[in-house]
Amino acid sequence: MNKILIAAAAVAALAMAGGAQASEAMAKDKGCLGCHAVDAKKMGPAFKEVAAKYKGKADAEATIIAELKSGKVGGKTHPVPKASDDELKALTKWMLSL
Ligand code: HEC
């Protein structure tokens, strides 16, 4: 029984990791952490705050990606990330998982 649970957890972890692996390191690499932190407000909101704001919204991922790519977040100018679509998707998924 235990072995089955462990195997299931491993599969779930792999599934969540997906293609491009996103993490705090990626957010740092893309320059996001210059203005954001995971759980503290800097120039921009804490990523945990963003996750809470979008919690339960089915289109959260698409909305955030579209905002970031358009360079306008909440009607204000925001730097467009130098990231591929896959990277942006992974980064947004990670952010929303916080
Ligand atoms: C130059 C500073 C700066 C950088 C760099 C930056 N942000 Fe932001 N970000 C902000 C500010 C300021 C806001 C708040 C905008 C507002 O008041 O609506 C914000 C808001 C956001 C939001 C909130 C969107 C919402 O709908 O509430 C997300 C998500 C976000 N940033 C993601 C990112 C990601 C991902 C990166 C890196 C690829 C990044 N930001 C890099 C300054 C920055």
Side-chain angles (χ1 to χ4, degrees):
M1 185 60 189
N2 252 344
K3 273 193 187 143
I4 293 169
L5 280 178
I6 290 166
V11 170
L14 276 177
M16 279 195 296
Q21 174 109 34
S23 67
E24 197 164 342
M26 189 177 194
K28 190 172 177 198
D29 189 47
K30 297 297 172 195
C32 316
L33 297 187
C35 298
H36 293 275
V38 169
D39 55 11
K41 189 172 162 46
K42 288 175 82 175
M43 197 200 268
F47 282 155
K48 277 193 177 164
E49 218 175 275
V50 176
K53 175 178 157 189
Y54 282 96
K55 203 174 164 66
K57 295 196 178 134
D59 58 352
E61 196 180 311
T63 304
I64 291 175
I65 292 174
E67 277 190 335
L68 290 174
K69 284 172 85 164
S70 72
K72 279 229 179 292
V73 166
K76 290 184 202 151
T77 308
H78 186 275
V80 178
K82 289 183 187 63
S84 70
D85 283 3
D86 276 358
E87 284 172 333
L88 262 189
K89 207 170 164 181
L91 206 49
T92 304
K93 268 198 204 313
W94 166 74
M95 214 173 359
L96 291 172
S97 76
L98 294 169

